[in-house]
Amino acid sequence: MNKNIVDLHEKLQALLLTQRDSSIQGKVADYIPALASVKPDLAGISVATIAGNVVSAGEYQHPFSIQSISKVFGLVMAMNRIGDSLWQRVRMEPSGQPFNSIIQLEWEKGIPRNPVINAGALLVSDVLTSHFSSSKLAFLTFVRKLAGNESIFVDNQVYQSELTHGNGNAALAYLMKSFGNIESEIPEVLSHYFTQCSIAMSCEQLAKSFLFLANKGIDPRTKKTICTARDAHRVNAILSTSGMYDQSGEFAFSVGLPAKSGVGGGVMAVVPGYGVICSWSPPLNSFGNSVVGMSLVAGVAEELGLSIYH
Ligand code: GLN
């Protein structure tokens, strides 16, 4: 094995060893029972590079609920499907509010601040349900192709839990519909959104799946164009300013990478021109971001000097 790869593997293991204990500072998502029962001490990390290497440590093959990381897949699908008209229905500004907040949405007449807060992701889910005959299948097919793995699945227990406890998201969707910014029927939009949130994937699968964002829209393994270079740039810009919710400023300040978190404990960070880092540890901080997941990404970014602001 190449010396750089061995070095990186040792670095990842050392980071896991030192960071794992800080998970006690966080709290596993408990808004649905299916997530509250996840073991808090699991943790993993994978780094996939454009050059074709994948280096991992810990429980990097353990599937977890990707939750809001799914918003990135959905955004790319919607951009590919309806082009620039998407930006008349959702903006590209940081919200400065918690991911599930409804406050801004009324003031701003049902136009979500960005596509990676819940309101924006529900809007994107509406685009997908109204433009695909079977949006859930299209979504799963897209993700499976990117990961190169047909066995990726929707965790039905998480999905049922999301549906039962989905009133906050329903409120966001109905409010947008009252402003005329949702086309499909709300139950269909919610069902799509909860399905994509309930997909289970590992750090390794996620890191490989998002390589196209680090490579101007082209999957370096298959050489296929997943989105235009302009759209890859736009997604990365949105992830830099909004991907870690109302902690995005701090994340840019201290780490300096476009990134997306999910309440399942995953953090996915894009390093343009290099690759993708994906970490996972279930306990979350008050912003809904994984405590250890963020420190692991921060550690790798610092060790390898990966910040985009250098
Ligand atoms: N399913 C979660 C929700 O809609 C996703 C949020 C997240 O991962 N931040 O509340």
Side-chain angles (χ1 to χ4, degrees), residues 155-218:
D155 183 330
N156 195 44
Q157 207 196 340
V158 174
Y159 173 76
Q160 292 302 336
S161 254
E162 295 277 0
L163 260 189
T164 321
H165 297 84
N167 291 326
N169 285 310
L172 291 168
Y174 279 110
L175 185 59
M176 286 190 284
K177 186 137 182 115
S178 77
F179 282 104
N181 200 17
I182 293 279
E183 290 169 8
S184 304
E185 293 309 317
I186 301 299
E188 208 190 333
V189 174
L190 292 174
S191 175
H192 174 95
Y193 174 66
F194 294 142
T195 299
Q196 68 170 58
C197 285
S198 306
I199 291 175
M201 287 173 81
S202 65
C203 291
E204 188 179 42
Q205 290 167 343
L206 279 167
K208 287 183 186 169
S209 300
F210 284 112
L211 276 171
F212 70 97
L213 287 179
N215 194 39
K216 298 186 160 60
I218 296 168

Side-chain angles (χ1 to χ4, degrees), residues 89 122-130 181-184 189:
R89 295 174 60 190
L122 287 160
L123 186 286
V124 166
S125 298
D126 177 52
V127 170
L128 300 181
T129 48
S130 50
N181 200 17
I182 293 279
E183 290 169 8
S184 304
V189 174

Side-chain angles (χ1 to χ4, degrees), residues 31 67-68 71 99-100 118 162 169 193-194 197 245 261-264 288:
Y31 72 99
Q67 291 292 333
S68 280
K71 291 169 178 171
F99 64 82
N100 49 6
N118 284 16
E162 295 277 0
N169 285 310
Y193 174 66
F194 294 142
C197 285
Y245 306 119
S261 62
V263 292

Side-chain angles (χ1 to χ4, degrees), residues 26-264:
K27 196 164 158 285
V28 174
D30 56 3
Y31 72 99
I32 54 170
L35 288 184
S37 60
V38 174
K39 277 205 198 146
D41 54 351
L42 296 173
I45 182 160
S46 285
V47 179
T49 69
I50 293 172
N53 298 308
V54 184
V55 187
S56 307
E59 281 93 22
Y60 64 94
Q61 283 177 321
H62 194 292
F64 60 89
S65 190
I66 67 170
Q67 291 292 333
S68 280
I69 299 176
S70 71
K71 291 169 178 171
V72 187
F73 293 125
L75 173 59
V76 172
M77 285 179 78
M79 288 167 107
N80 283 344
R81 197 71 181 199
I82 67 165
D84 284 355
S85 64
L86 178 66
W87 305 108
Q88 280 154 26
R89 295 174 60 190
V90 58
R91 300 177 65 220
M92 63 297 280
E93 297 299 337
S95 70
Q97 302 289 327
F99 64 82
N100 49 6
S101 172
I102 198 167
I103 293 171
Q104 233 164 20
L105 198 58
E106 186 187 2
W107 284 113
E108 300 187 354
K109 306 203 177 344
I111 312 280
R113 271 290 171 111
N114 67 65
V116 294
I117 49 172
N118 284 16
L122 287 160
L123 186 286
V124 166
S125 298
D126 177 52
V127 170
L128 300 181
T129 48
S130 50
H131 285 84
F132 286 89
S133 52
S134 173
S135 64
K136 296 181 203 172
L137 185 61
F139 195 99
L140 197 57
T141 306
F142 182 61
V143 173
R144 284 175 170 168
K145 276 226 172 72
L146 286 175
N149 190 324
E150 289 299 309
S151 67
I152 288 169
F153 62 99
V154 175
D155 183 330
N156 195 44
Q157 207 196 340
V158 174
Y159 173 76
Q160 292 302 336
S161 254
E162 295 277 0
L163 260 189
T164 321
H165 297 84
N167 291 326
N169 285 310
L172 291 168
Y174 279 110
L175 185 59
M176 286 190 284
K177 186 137 182 115
S178 77
F179 282 104
N181 200 17
I182 293 279
E183 290 169 8
S184 304
E185 293 309 317
I186 301 299
E188 208 190 333
V189 174
L190 292 174
S191 175
H192 174 95
Y193 174 66
F194 294 142
T195 299
Q196 68 170 58
C197 285
S198 306
I199 291 175
M201 287 173 81
S202 65
C203 291
E204 188 179 42
Q205 290 167 343
L206 279 167
K208 287 183 186 169
S209 300
F210 284 112
L211 276 171
F212 70 97
L213 287 179
N215 194 39
K216 298 186 160 60
I218 296 168
D219 185 330
R221 299 156 303 170
T222 61
K223 314 283 181 238
K224 281 202 177 124
T225 299
I226 309 301
C227 67
T228 62
R230 188 191 67 160
D231 281 350
H233 158 95
R234 289 178 164 187
V235 173
N236 289 335
I238 286 172
L239 297 187
S240 297
T241 51
S242 309
M244 303 299 283
Y245 306 119
D246 40 343
Q247 204 175 12
S248 299
E250 186 189 327
F251 195 78
F253 185 86
S254 56
V255 182
L257 290 175
K260 185 75 211 78
S261 62
V263 292

Side-chain angles (χ1 to χ4, degrees), residues 298-310:
V300 179
E302 194 176 327
E303 292 254 7
L304 304 184
L306 299 176
S307 165
I308 60 169
Y309 301 115
H310 279 147

